[in-house]
Amino acid sequence: MELSQIPAALQSRLRLSVIAALLSGPKKFRTLQDLTGATAGNLGKQLEQLDSKKEFVGRRPNTTYRLLPYGREQFTQYVALLESLLAQAEEEKPEA
């Protein structure tokens, strides 16, 4: 993955926070809201950007969000890119 190829899903602090939270397993909306500190409206909009689907029990939402294999792979590639950039910066760092 190159800098110019970073997926849109990884270009938002809140979306990155959601993805990081989902790495440990599925989460309910309220749990994600508590973990990220986001408002309900903002979190809902960001989850829409991540291709999430709402589920309902009767008229009440009952959605559990999961990180799919594609999302996990994209996140892993993003972390690897950041690690390589840090390593490159360390190599280019002038000695004091």
Side-chain angles (χ1 to χ4, degrees):
M1 178 182 291
E2 308 248 344
L3 281 175
S4 62
Q5 298 172 323
I6 295 173
L10 302 175
Q11 295 178 10
S12 158
R13 181 196 65 80
L14 181 52
R15 279 179 263 161
L16 276 172
S17 297
V18 168
I19 291 168
L22 294 175
L23 285 171
S24 63
K27 306 278 186 296
K28 296 275 189 193
F29 184 89
R30 182 64 189 177
T31 302
L32 288 172
Q33 190 177 8
D34 290 343
L35 289 171
T36 62
T39 64
N42 193 8
L43 181 58
K45 285 203 177 287
Q46 297 305 318
L47 288 168
E48 287 174 11
Q49 295 291 321
L50 294 172
D51 292 331
S52 63
K53 294 183 176 104
K54 291 183 182 178
E55 299 169 0
F56 291 87
V57 173
R59 296 183 65 165
R60 302 191 80 194
N62 186 31
T63 304
T64 300
Y65 297 92
R66 292 172 179 76
L67 187 59
L68 300 175
Y70 177 77
R72 184 177 294 274
E73 176 61 28
Q74 290 295 299
F75 187 74
T76 301
Q77 288 181 20
Y78 177 68
V79 170
L81 172 65
L82 294 177
E83 288 173 341
S84 72
L85 290 171
L86 287 171
Q88 182 180 0
E90 262 316 295
E91 290 172 6
E92 295 174 358
K93 186 175 166 183
E95 293 188 33

